[in-house]
Amino acid sequence: MGKIKDYLPNKYKFRKEQILHLIILSGEIPSTLYNDLFISRSNFSSVISRLSNEGFVKSIKGNSLTGYVLTSDFKNRIIQSEKYKEYRNEITNSSTDIQKRRRMRTFAAAYAMFDYLGIVYENFRKPQITNDMLNEKKSEMAFYTAKEFKQTQPVNGITIIGSKSYGLMIGHKCVIPLYITRYDMQTYTSVEFKFIRLVEEYFKAPCNAAILLSDNENSIISISKSIINNEIKGKDITDYGYYNNLYLIKKDKHTKLQFWLLYNSQSIVDKLKKQFCIESKETYMVNDGYIENKPVLFMLNYDVARLKAFLIYVGMHSIDSYIICFDYMFNALKTVSEHRPVSFIKIKSEKIERRIESERI
């Protein structure tokens, strides 16, 4: 895959414009946002200094968190100036509450990722959320916050207060809830079951898959082990009635491929089945076929729900098996699968990533 350092989405002319955009919509950006923007720390600091000197932003510190928010003068300018009219209803006010600050900073990082992926998240750019939007011909992906979804539920919205979902990915005729964590598995309650049912009722479509976005490989490994070994606190959202598929996606240079595969993996799977002579046959265990009677599981996307079912079965019955994955996923999957009779077939990701680089998700 080519380098994405200093990548600037086409909708911005300058980096300064993007950073200001993210602060307006999220309320606060962290001082480490340069990692999510794929730019250097010095470049980021230089842009922040210019924005500060021009009276657009100011720093905010507290509870060991350093970030940047809009100045009061600039908020007034947004309201009064024709230049910023599209932002008049988009201003997210900053806060001193530690939980609110952390959530706003998480949204800022997510929005930066959406910029890279070409996913629409701004109210003035995306279609209004409606209960029949999955029937529309458009397949372009858009993100809607949990708050936006709750606003469609004047009666039942109160029943899902406490859901850990940050919002919904809507497009390609399906809806996928998005969860975000930095390190370990979050503690979930039965509210998530109510959230799933409400999403299904509203869109009149199944909601059996979710995305869990994290920062690093160690987090992916930790979360996987806690789910596979049944060591989680609270509800297991990969259990029956919750999500059949839970995709663990790490924010890095491979993120675009991971999101693309959510909707386009079948053609690749079909080619790999021919290449490795994978035989399909009826079975009661979770797998995608057999190589010489050894079960095979495709992990082109890191689906921890299917991985759990597969590893538990082959481990319990001591069955030699295969997992087919991309090269960059191998270390995490090998670590999680240790002490189980699994061999790996690694697929190079670079060629397909070059192919999809210019595509929108």
Side-chain angles (χ1 to χ4, degrees):
M1 181 183 176
K3 293 182 179 179
I4 55 175
K5 187 177 180 181
D6 295 323
Y7 171 81
L8 183 66
N10 292 332
K11 64 183 179 183
Y12 306 111
K13 292 182 179 179
F14 308 103
R15 184 70 62 189
K16 168 182 167 182
E17 182 185 355
Q18 182 187 22
I19 291 176
L20 200 57
H21 175 89
L22 295 175
I23 300 176
I24 294 172
L25 269 68
S26 66
E28 177 182 341
I29 62 170
S31 58
T32 55
L33 191 67
Y34 54 87
N35 291 317
D36 300 282
L37 295 171
F38 302 110
I39 62 176
S40 67
R41 182 175 182 176
S42 59
N43 188 353
F44 178 75
S45 297
S46 176
V47 175
I48 290 294
S49 293
R50 291 202 301 273
L51 289 171
S52 179
N53 292 335
E54 293 170 11
F56 291 103
V57 305
K58 63 181 180 180
S59 64
I60 179 172
K61 298 180 179 181
N63 298 101
S64 301
L65 297 179
T66 299
Y68 302 97
V69 299
L70 300 179
T71 63
S72 297
D73 287 343
F74 183 58
K75 287 181 184 177
N76 291 331
R77 203 185 313 177
I78 292 175
I79 295 171
Q80 297 171 8
S81 174
E82 191 68 16
K83 179 180 178 180
Y84 300 105
K85 62 180 181 179
E86 63 186 9
Y87 290 111
R88 286 174 187 166
N89 297 319
E90 302 296 321
I91 300 174
T92 299
N93 291 320
S94 57
S95 174
T96 56
D97 179 83
I98 184 66
Q99 296 302 326
K100 289 182 180 179
R101 286 188 64 198
R102 283 177 176 158
R103 191 169 178 84
M104 287 190 287
R105 292 155 67 95
T106 299
F107 270 118
Y111 292 159
M113 180 191 73
F114 294 153
D115 275 348
Y116 168 60
L117 298 177
I119 293 173
V120 182
Y121 56 92
E122 304 92 338
N123 282 328
F124 53 85
R125 288 196 173 110
K126 67 190 178 186
Q128 182 180 352
I129 187 169
T130 62
N131 62 357
D132 63 347
M133 63 191 309
L134 296 186
N135 298 321
E136 296 176 3
K137 292 183 179 180
K138 289 183 179 180
S139 61
E140 185 175 281
M141 180 63 60
F143 173 76
Y144 296 84
T145 66
K147 181 180 178 180
E148 288 175 296
F149 174 66
K150 287 175 185 175
Q151 288 172 344
T152 69
Q153 306 295 316
V155 176
N156 297 317
I158 193 170
T159 66
I160 56 173
I161 293 176
S163 167
K164 297 295 178 65
S165 172
Y166 273 75
L168 304 172
M169 313 297 304
I170 300 178
H172 301 275
K173 297 186 180 298
C174 64
V175 53
I176 304 179
L178 177 72
Y179 296 86
I180 305 175
T181 184
R182 292 195 63 190
Y183 303 112
D184 298 326
M185 187 70 170
Q186 296 171 302
T187 301
Y188 296 93
T189 69
S190 57
V191 170
E192 297 309 323
F193 179 81
K194 296 176 183 177
F195 174 74
I196 294 169
R197 298 287 84 81
L198 206 55
V199 170
E200 290 182 329
E201 289 172 11
Y202 181 74
F203 290 105
K204 299 179 181 64
C207 178
N208 49 28
I211 296 167
L212 181 55
L213 195 66
S214 72
D215 282 350
N216 54 66
E217 187 172 279
N218 288 336
S219 175
I220 295 289
I221 293 171
S222 173
I223 292 168
S224 297
K225 285 185 174 181
S226 65
I227 292 176
I228 292 167
N229 299 327
N230 293 315
E231 297 172 346
I232 64 172
K233 298 177 181 179
K235 297 291 183 180
D236 182 352
I237 58 173
T238 67
D239 271 349
Y240 179 78
Y242 288 82
Y243 297 113
N244 297 331
N245 309 97
L246 181 61
Y247 301 107
L248 304 190
I249 297 181
K250 181 177 59 167
K251 292 186 292 183
D252 62 11
K253 65 181 182 180
H254 303 295
T255 306
K256 179 170 280 191
L257 174 59
Q258 294 298 285
F259 271 83
W260 184 86
L261 285 166
L262 293 173
Y263 313 99
N264 301 281
S265 63
Q266 192 57 51
S267 61
I268 300 174
V269 168
D270 291 342
K271 290 178 182 178
L272 291 173
K273 281 186 174 182
K274 289 183 180 179
Q275 180 180 346
F276 295 105
C277 301
I278 296 174
E279 180 186 2
S280 297
K281 58 182 179 180
E282 291 294 327
T283 177
Y284 51 82
M285 70 172 289
V286 172
N287 72 88
D288 298 297
Y290 292 82
I291 296 177
E292 298 179 348
N293 290 320
K294 296 178 181 179
V296 177
L297 182 72
F298 281 103
M299 276 285 112
L300 302 184
N301 241 335
Y302 198 121
D303 183 349
V304 71
R306 296 192 79 230
L307 179 64
K308 174 184 178 180
F310 183 78
L311 291 180
I312 288 176
Y313 189 88
V314 299
M316 184 180 300
H317 298 277
S318 299
I319 300 173
D320 289 338
S321 58
Y322 292 100
I323 290 179
I324 298 178
C325 64
F326 283 114
D327 43 11
Y328 61 85
M329 303 165 66
F330 170 68
N331 180 63
L333 287 169
K334 182 181 179 182
T335 302
V336 169
S337 305
E338 60 184 355
H339 308 309
R340 292 178 174 90
V342 176
S343 298
F344 290 88
I345 298 174
K346 292 185 286 184
I347 308 299
K348 292 183 179 180
S349 65
E350 187 173 358
K351 185 176 180 180
I352 185 171
E353 286 181 305
R354 283 201 303 265
R355 193 184 100 200
I356 69 169
E357 184 57 37
S358 60
E359 294 185 25
R360 297 182 69 86
I361 298 300

